[in-house]
């Protein structure tokens, strides 16, 4: 058995890269541990690499524990989908199949030859023999990680994924993946907090800002790896158990990364907002990080601190003054080798203390996917000093989340900006649309020459086909241009929402409302309801419904998929309902199963037949899409909910004595619950509805 400690010497990063030939292509900052209470298990960890190569090695850590850990078998291979692997290759450690890592130490595998494309997915598998006493982890992976069940045994060498029946989303033990033999000769380290970690970006989609930066760098003739060293809640000025400060973890997470050439320092918002630090203290910490990184030969790019007004009650005018002081230092302090103005990239021009709505995830601190892309766009690739011959023009689409309607034209604009020092020529742009959609250009789709700092915009009137289903669609744009005697390319895409417009519903569906100005729409098997209403529970029954009379027999049920709900207050409800007569709930049999933002799944019934919903079960977090199901066996009702339509959670059961023996009306319902939000309406969209015997 091999017993290994840290294999990566604390040498200057550039010298280390030259000696070892390794470039970091993926990394995560381990920061805590827990006891999993399991034995004889294998974990399978997908990773999305940045730079490619011909050989791979992995790095593991056991830092946040007080006991050794043994890995009996490890492998790596290209991902084939889910937990499956194409051609898994066994890894060794100092020539041995197994390795024991002492508490607080690290290990690196030997090299294995696997051609790896840039921005592709690898899978690392680790088998733990015997009792696994602890797991060193990075908890916010935003990526499904697959485990065998307790006692599942060694499946590290499996190509298939059938043995991996449980999942979570934390990265265990794995702290880095390195490549060599590719065009990259160095990497960029993103040192940050939850924003860098990807909080509020789309899970399973690799839409953190370092992922977008990796995409930009991959277009360079000599690209660079990008290493994400973000930890949620991290600060510069202070750390906690399980979350060491940026200063404390600088050596481990930045200075000793193989091939690291540049660090982007993007921290400070936690220090200033809730951490109790002053602007001067944050600046002092930034100076120290820059000093230590420069001493080891790294370039240091500072990133400005983003606005956060509206995030909880942390913002004050005094803290805003400190934020402005820190940002002035980042821009003009003379300490950094360059800066990325993330503040400017996402702030609201009309209120610079807040995010612009287009970039805000909704919590007023973390950006959405579009905001993440804006951060990556704010980085000057040439200033990183880690890649060469990068495309100098890039194209971006706006609006960032366009709203469209079938058979109606909406304007979408592509803007190409030349960020380089020389003109680019023969610029051509082209739009990529879903099948059946059309676009009419307003203006020219290209230009003969675009000067440094110049922009060229082209607007299209985009029309979805008349039979387009409601929902999200990708719209893409490509730009080609001549730079330095060769043709270069850049692309962008946005998610466009095709939204319903009021229309008639078709038999056997009917509509009914106890609120004014309710509206409805049907598009084949999709349905929409626009409704006001103070509530549909208790002493109120204010709702709008699309329903089918006599649809649920004495033994049967109904199921719907609630795609989304927008507008109104946090208690607005949408879901399914049954009753002897939905237009007159006082005739008995009334039950409702809904989703609301504040209370999650809510199962409500009328226990005494007076038409008022007076029993309640449910709770939990709100989610969309949500599958909702009500079953009936005479007067006994049972409610279920599911996030995927496969695994169902029982919400509750109730007896409704007034339920008639024959068929019950069944339908989709919505209420704005606007008692405290007068005049507001809610929009609920469903994309399936069915009844069963």
């Amino acid at each position: 058995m091999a017993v290994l400690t840290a294999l990566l010497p604390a040498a200057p990063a550039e010298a280390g890269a030259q000696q070892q030939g390794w470039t970091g292509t993926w990394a995560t900052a381990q920061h805590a541990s827990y006891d999993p209470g399991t034995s004889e298990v294998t974990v399978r960890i997908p990773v999305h690499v940045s730079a490619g190569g011909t050989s791979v090695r992995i790095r593991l850590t056991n830092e946040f524990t007080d006991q050794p850990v043994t890995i009996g078998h490890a492998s790596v291979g290209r991902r084939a989908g889910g937990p499956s692997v194409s051609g898994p290759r066994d890894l060794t450690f100092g020539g041995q199949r197994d390795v024991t890592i002492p508490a607080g130490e690290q290990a690196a595998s030997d090299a294995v030859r696997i051609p790896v494309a840039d921005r592709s997915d690898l899978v690392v598998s680790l088998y733990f023999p015997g009792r696994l006493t602890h797991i060193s982890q990075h908890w916010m992976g935003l990526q499904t990680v697959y485990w065998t069940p307790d006692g599942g045994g060694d499946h590290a060498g499996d190509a298939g994924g059938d043995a991996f029946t449980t999942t979570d989303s934390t990265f265990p033990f794995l702290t880095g993946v390195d490549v060599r033999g590719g065009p990259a000769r160095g990497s960029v380290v993103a040192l940050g907090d939850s924003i860098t970690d990807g909080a509020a970006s789309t899970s399973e989609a690799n839409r953190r800002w370092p992922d977008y930066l990796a995409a930009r760098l991959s277009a360079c003739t000599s690209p660079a790896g990008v290493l994400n060293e973000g930890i949620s809640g991290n600060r510069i000025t202070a750390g906690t158990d399980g979350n060491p400060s940026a200063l404390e973890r600088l050596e481990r997470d930045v200075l000793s990364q193989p091939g690291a050439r540049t660090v982007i320092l993007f921290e400070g918002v936690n220090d200033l907002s809730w951490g109790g630090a002053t602007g001067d203290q944050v600046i002092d910490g930034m100076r120290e990080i820059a000093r230590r990184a420069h001493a080891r030969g790294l370039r240091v790019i500072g990133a400005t601190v983003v606005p956060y007004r509206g995030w909880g009650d942390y913002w004050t005018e005094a803290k805003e003054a400190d934020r402005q002081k820190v940002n002035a230092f980042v821009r003009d302090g003379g300490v950094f080798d360059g800066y990325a103005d993330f503040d400017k990239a996402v702030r609201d021009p009309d209120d610079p203390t807040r995010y612009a709505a287009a970039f805000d995830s909704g919590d007023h601190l973390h950006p959405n996917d579009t905001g993440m892309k804006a951060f990556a766009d704010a980085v000057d690739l040439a200033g990183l000093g880690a890649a060469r011959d990068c495309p100098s023009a890039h194209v971006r689409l706006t609006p960032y989340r366009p709203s469209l309607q079938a058979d109606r034209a909406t304007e979408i604009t592509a803007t190409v900006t030349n960020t380089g020092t020389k003109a680019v020529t023969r610029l051509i742009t082209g739009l990529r649309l879903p099948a059946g959609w059309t676009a009419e250009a307003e203006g020219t789709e290209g230009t003969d020459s675009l000067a440094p700092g110049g922009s060229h915009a082209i607007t299209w009137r985009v029309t979805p086909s008349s039979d387009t289903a409601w929902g999200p669609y990708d719209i893409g744009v490509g730009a080609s241009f001549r730079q330095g005697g060769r043709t270069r390319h850049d692309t962008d895409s946005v998610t466009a929402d095709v939204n319903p417009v009021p229309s008639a519903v078709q038999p056997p569906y009917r509509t009914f409302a106890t609120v004014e100005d309710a509206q409805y729409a049907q598009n084949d098997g999709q349905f929409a309801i626009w409704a006001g209403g103070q509530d549909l529970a208790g002493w109120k029954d204010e709702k709008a419904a699309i329903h089918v009379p006599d649809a649920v027999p004495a033994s049967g049920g109904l199921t719907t998929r609630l795609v989304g709900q927008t507008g109104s207050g946090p208690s607005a409800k949408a879901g399914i309902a049954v009753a002897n007569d939905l237009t007159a709930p006082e005739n008995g049999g009334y039950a409702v199963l809904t989703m609301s933002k504040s209370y999650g799944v809510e199962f409500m019934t009328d226990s005494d037949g007076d038409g008022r919903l007076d029993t309640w079960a449910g709770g939990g977090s709100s989610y969309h899409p949500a599958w909702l199901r009500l079953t009936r066996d005479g007067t006994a009702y049972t409610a279920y909910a599911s996030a995927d339509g496969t695994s169902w959670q029982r919400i509750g059961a109730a007896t409704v004595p007034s339920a008639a023996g024959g068929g019950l009306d069944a339908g989709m319902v919505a209420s704005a619950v606007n008692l405290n939000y007068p005049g507001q309406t809610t929009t609920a969209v469903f994309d399936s509805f069915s009844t069963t015997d």
Side-chain angles (χ1 to χ4, degrees), residues 23-157:
T23 292
T25 188
W26 180 91
T28 193
Q30 299 280 328
H31 59 99
S33 67
Y34 68 98
D35 182 348
T38 191
S39 301
E40 294 286 336
V41 291
T42 306
V43 64
R44 185 152 276 181
I45 312 164
V47 297
H48 187 68
V49 304
S50 51
T54 58
S55 295
V56 176
R57 73 172 182 183
I58 68 170
R59 289 179 282 124
L60 305 169
T61 187
N62 192 28
E63 180 173 356
F64 291 93
T65 68
D66 58 5
Q67 300 178 57
V69 64
T70 296
I71 294 154
H73 183 195
S75 70
V76 65
R78 291 185 292 273
R79 191 177 189 183
S84 299
V85 184
S86 174
R89 299 287 303 276
D90 288 344
L91 292 168
T92 58
F93 299 82
Q96 302 296 310
R97 177 184 173 97
D98 56 359
V99 60
T100 293
I101 309 174
E105 300 295 343
Q106 301 180 43
S109 74
D110 302 323
V112 61
R113 189 168 181 81
I114 298 179
V116 179
D118 63 279
R119 301 174 62 214
S120 63
D121 290 338
L122 294 177
V123 176
V124 175
S125 301
L126 307 173
Y127 162 60
F128 305 96
R131 171 81 160 82
L132 182 58
T133 61
H134 59 275
I135 291 176
S136 181
Q137 65 163 344
H138 178 91
W139 75 265
M140 191 168 69
L142 298 178
Q143 168 70 60
T144 299
V145 173
Y146 304 90
W147 290 84
T148 61
D150 188 36
D154 181 7
H155 292 277

Side-chain angles (χ1 to χ4, degrees), residues 414 416 426-431 439-448 456-460 477-480:
V416 183
R426 302 182 193 176
L427 169 66
I428 297 292
T429 57
L431 204 59
E440 181 181 350
E442 297 180 346
T444 60
E445 295 180 309
T447 183
D448 291 336
H456 176 78
I458 172 68
T459 296
W460 290 272
V477 66
S480 67

Side-chain angles (χ1 to χ4, degrees), residues 628-687:
L628 303 173
R629 176 176 292 167
L630 268 175
T631 64
R632 175 195 180 200
D633 186 4
T635 60
Y637 292 179
T638 308
Y640 303 88
S642 172
D644 59 10
T646 302
S647 301
W648 291 87
Q649 176 188 7
R650 184 177 181 272
I651 304 303
T655 298
V656 183
S658 58
L664 299 186
D665 291 2
M668 296 156 280
V669 297
S671 174
V673 190
N674 60 17
L675 183 63
N676 296 318
Y677 302 86
Q680 293 194 15
T681 60
T682 189
T683 303
V685 178
F686 307 81
D687 69 357

Side-chain angles (χ1 to χ4, degrees), residues 7-315:
L7 298 183
L8 303 177
E14 188 168 348
Q18 293 171 347
Q19 292 167 8
Q20 302 176 41
W22 291 107
T23 292
T25 188
W26 180 91
T28 193
Q30 299 280 328
H31 59 99
S33 67
Y34 68 98
D35 182 348
T38 191
S39 301
E40 294 286 336
V41 291
T42 306
V43 64
R44 185 152 276 181
I45 312 164
V47 297
H48 187 68
V49 304
S50 51
T54 58
S55 295
V56 176
R57 73 172 182 183
I58 68 170
R59 289 179 282 124
L60 305 169
T61 187
N62 192 28
E63 180 173 356
F64 291 93
T65 68
D66 58 5
Q67 300 178 57
V69 64
T70 296
I71 294 154
H73 183 195
S75 70
V76 65
R78 291 185 292 273
R79 191 177 189 183
S84 299
V85 184
S86 174
R89 299 287 303 276
D90 288 344
L91 292 168
T92 58
F93 299 82
Q96 302 296 310
R97 177 184 173 97
D98 56 359
V99 60
T100 293
I101 309 174
E105 300 295 343
Q106 301 180 43
S109 74
D110 302 323
V112 61
R113 189 168 181 81
I114 298 179
V116 179
D118 63 279
R119 301 174 62 214
S120 63
D121 290 338
L122 294 177
V123 176
V124 175
S125 301
L126 307 173
Y127 162 60
F128 305 96
R131 171 81 160 82
L132 182 58
T133 61
H134 59 275
I135 291 176
S136 181
Q137 65 163 344
H138 178 91
W139 75 265
M140 191 168 69
L142 298 178
Q143 168 70 60
T144 299
V145 173
Y146 304 90
W147 290 84
T148 61
D150 188 36
D154 181 7
H155 292 277
D158 292 6
D162 291 347
F164 298 87
T165 58
T166 62
T167 63
D168 65 20
S169 59
T170 67
F171 294 126
F173 295 106
L174 184 67
T175 192
V177 177
D178 307 327
V179 294
R180 66 184 179 193
R185 293 294 182 268
S187 58
V188 177
V189 184
L191 181 63
D193 49 38
S194 59
I195 300 177
T196 298
D197 214 1
S201 68
T202 302
S203 297
E204 310 281 351
N206 303 304
R207 294 179 181 173
R208 313 163 189 88
W209 72 263
D211 296 318
Y212 284 115
L213 179 61
R216 291 188 64 202
L217 287 167
S218 69
C220 303
T221 302
S222 178
V226 179
L227 306 181
N228 189 331
E229 298 289 356
I231 300 177
S232 181
N234 202 235
R235 290 176 286 169
I236 294 174
T237 57
T240 63
D241 265 352
N243 200 335
S245 72
L247 283 162
E248 292 169 325
R249 64 191 184 95
L250 185 66
E251 177 66 40
R252 181 199 71 175
D253 290 344
V254 178
L255 303 183
S256 61
Q257 292 294 327
R261 295 183 180 275
T262 305
V263 56
I264 301 176
L265 174 60
F266 181 32
E267 296 222 27
V269 71
N270 291 327
D271 301 80
L272 297 173
S273 61
W274 56 265
T278 66
D280 287 335
Q281 289 171 324
V282 172
I283 289 170
D284 287 344
M286 289 180 165
R287 288 184 185 275
E288 177 64 12
I289 289 171
R291 184 193 65 78
R292 289 170 57 189
H294 283 148
R296 298 285 284 275
L298 274 71
R299 291 178 62 82
V300 185
I301 305 300
T304 49
V305 180
V306 293
Y308 62 91
R309 189 172 187 176
W311 181 52
D313 58 0
Y314 294 116
W315 186 91

